[in-house]
Amino acid sequence: MRGRGAARGVWAAVGLAGCGALLVVGCAPAGGPGSGAPAGSSPPAKGASPSGGGPASAGASAPGPPAKGSVAVSGEVAKGLESPWGVAPLPGGDLLVASRDKGTITRVDTKTGKPTEIGKVSGVAPGGEGGLLGLALSPSYASDHLVYVYFTTESDNRIARLRYDEQRAPGQQLGSPDTVFRGIPKGLVHNGGRIAFGPDKMLYAGTGETGETGLAQDKKSLGGKILRMTPDGQPVHGNPEADSVVYSYGHRNVQGLAWDKDKRLWASEFGQDTWDELNLIQPGGNYGWPDAEGKAGKPGLIDPVAQWKTDDASPSGIAFAQGSIWMAGLKGARLWRIPLDGTKALAEPEAFLQGTYGRLRTVVPLGGDKLLLVTSETDGRGTPEAGDDRILSLTVR
């Protein structure tokens, strides 16, 4: 039982926190105010190093975040959403939200909470963990009004862009998909799906190995990878291998991408039975799957910065805010905070909102101490209650 009912009427300061070790995760109550922000576009903190997103020098400037943080739920932005997945903040503050199972994109008025369906993405074939997944706005959205989507078809996973015309009637405001990249393996599970533009204005995508573990180590396969491409879907000069969009490999299922203040790329990854992972991504790096799960210490393989028992996390979206990575947990039904000291965890991860809102899918950075948190109770694996699914506004520290 999640025990969510009582929490839903309390928006001032919810701080159900727990402590989590890197190797052994245990939860204990804590609390305090916090903050939050939306995900899915390219906020100023997101980006990659000039070479494309690998580790950059941390410098010796601002002090790091506190070892103990806090989260306050400051409001409910929207409710009654069906299988929400990707979220993209629009200029002016409203949100675009993808429905995985309906294949539609809805605009949420963040002042009133009113949802308005703007259109359906043609070609989406929902099934299992596939469907309409990640959303991102073009780096030139102010002039081109292009929305990028990652979605499952009958034959593959692909990335397309659609023009959003606000002058047309609701439900008919999306143009036809212009496919920029195709051929990513699809499956009932492990479709990846998160996309984001880095500060280099290149498009990054997290993919999964669809349950075929060998794909993760096969550099010729697009499964079990992080991909880096131009907005037109072409390999980027400076990628690890010429004429390839593969940026890192050896991943099981990547559903979270975020950049820290020094333009280092971080990714969350589903483990199998033992360890979920938070990884610092290096261009050309091998992250071990299926030869390693969690911290294996094997030559040639990159260990995660933090890991969790799979019952405590099953991570999806992540965001960077206030010096920490904030990670949504699906099976774990909690929000994890990982305070950073450059390329390392400054302290043990902390768990917040444990069981309060059920499964958590996406975290969106809004800038400063504000985040948006998207629940995932209507994805077929949750136990939805009246009003699910929701987007919550958070204040974090």
Side-chain angles (χ1 to χ4, degrees), residues 312-338:
D312 296 329
S314 295
S316 189
I318 62 174
F320 177 79
Q322 298 296 97
S324 298
I325 295 290
W326 300 84
M327 187 179 81
L330 291 164
K331 188 175 182 180
R334 66 198 78 174
L335 178 68
W336 285 100
R337 172 187 182 262
I338 306 93

Side-chain angles (χ1 to χ4, degrees), residues 48 51 60 64 108 128 168 276 362 365 373 381 390:
S51 64
V108 172
R168 301 180 67 180
D276 293 325
T362 295
L373 181 62
R381 293 181 176 175
R390 304 162 188 273

Side-chain angles (χ1 to χ4, degrees), residues 4-395:
R4 294 189 287 140
R8 289 188 164 164
V10 181
W11 301 114
V14 176
L16 296 178
C19 65
L22 298 183
L23 295 176
V24 182
V25 179
C27 296
S35 94
S41 128
S42 52
K46 284 192 171 185
S49 69
S51 64
S57 171
S61 51
K68 296 295 183 181
S70 60
V71 172
V73 179
S74 51
E76 183 180 77
V77 176
K79 63 181 180 179
L81 301 173
E82 182 176 334
S83 60
W85 214 99
V87 177
L90 290 165
D94 286 354
L95 305 173
L96 295 183
V97 182
S99 169
R100 185 193 70 181
D101 298 339
K102 293 173 64 180
T104 57
I105 298 178
T106 294
R107 178 168 181 155
V108 172
D109 184 324
T110 53
K111 295 183 179 63
T112 66
K114 179 183 177 182
T116 302
E117 185 178 307
I118 65 170
K120 187 166 186 172
V121 179
S122 61
V124 175
E129 296 175 0
L132 181 57
L133 303 173
L135 290 184
L137 299 186
S138 161
S140 306
Y141 180 82
S143 57
D144 61 30
H145 302 289
L146 292 176
V147 179
Y148 282 71
V149 294
Y150 182 115
F151 65 100
T152 311
T153 73
E154 294 289 353
S155 60
D156 65 358
N157 285 297
R158 63 183 61 178
I159 300 171
R161 55 192 175 193
L162 307 89
R163 190 176 303 279
Y164 174 26
D165 185 353
E166 298 181 34
Q167 304 306 312
R168 301 180 67 180
Q172 303 175 20
Q173 295 176 329
L174 290 178
S176 299
D178 170 22
T179 299
V180 298
F181 196 82
R182 68 181 72 223
I184 301 168
K186 63 163 282 189
L188 285 177
V189 295
H190 305 175
N191 288 287
R194 195 71 62 183
I195 56 175
F197 282 96
D200 57 358
K201 298 185 179 180
M202 296 298 108
L203 179 61
Y204 294 75
T207 74
E209 35 76 306
T210 71
E212 295 187 29
T213 59
L215 299 184
Q217 290 294 322
D218 181 357
K219 292 185 182 180
K220 294 182 180 179
S221 171
L222 298 170
K225 308 293 188 296
I226 292 176
L227 311 178
R228 178 179 181 244
M229 64 191 75
T230 70
D232 294 324
Q234 299 301 310
V236 181
H237 178 71
N239 272 5
E241 295 186 13
D243 301 321
S244 173
V245 297
V246 173
Y247 194 63
S248 63
Y249 67 106
H251 300 288
R252 187 167 182 262
N253 190 28
V254 175
Q255 287 195 2
L257 299 171
W259 288 262
D260 65 24
K261 63 182 179 61
D262 293 304
K263 301 181 180 180
R264 289 177 290 245
L265 175 59
W266 299 79
S268 61
E269 181 170 341
F270 280 87
Q272 185 173 29
D273 300 315
T274 311
W275 299 116
D276 293 325
E277 302 177 357
L278 176 69
N279 286 299
L280 174 61
I281 302 303
Q282 300 178 18
N286 181 353
Y287 288 82
W289 181 253
D291 301 321
E293 183 181 355
K295 296 184 178 184
K298 293 184 177 181
L301 305 183
I302 300 174
D303 281 345
V305 172
Q307 63 185 25
W308 296 260
K309 290 293 187 181
T310 53
D311 284 349
D312 296 329
S314 295
S316 189
I318 62 174
F320 177 79
Q322 298 296 97
S324 298
I325 295 290
W326 300 84
M327 187 179 81
L330 291 164
K331 188 175 182 180
R334 66 198 78 174
L335 178 68
W336 285 100
R337 172 187 182 262
I338 306 93
L340 299 180
D341 178 11
T343 61
K344 308 185 301 294
L346 178 146
E348 295 179 351
E350 292 179 278
F352 294 92
L353 307 177
Q354 184 175 343
T356 310
Y357 299 100
R359 294 164 59 82
L360 305 178
R361 173 69 67 183
T362 295
V363 193
V364 182
L366 296 175
D369 63 353
K370 304 302 178 187
L371 297 176
L372 296 181
L373 181 62
V374 183
T375 69
S376 192
E377 284 291 287
T378 60
D379 65 355
R381 293 181 176 175
T383 51
E385 298 177 358
D388 284 334
D389 269 307
R390 304 162 188 273
I391 300 178
L392 308 170
S393 59
L394 309 181
T395 302

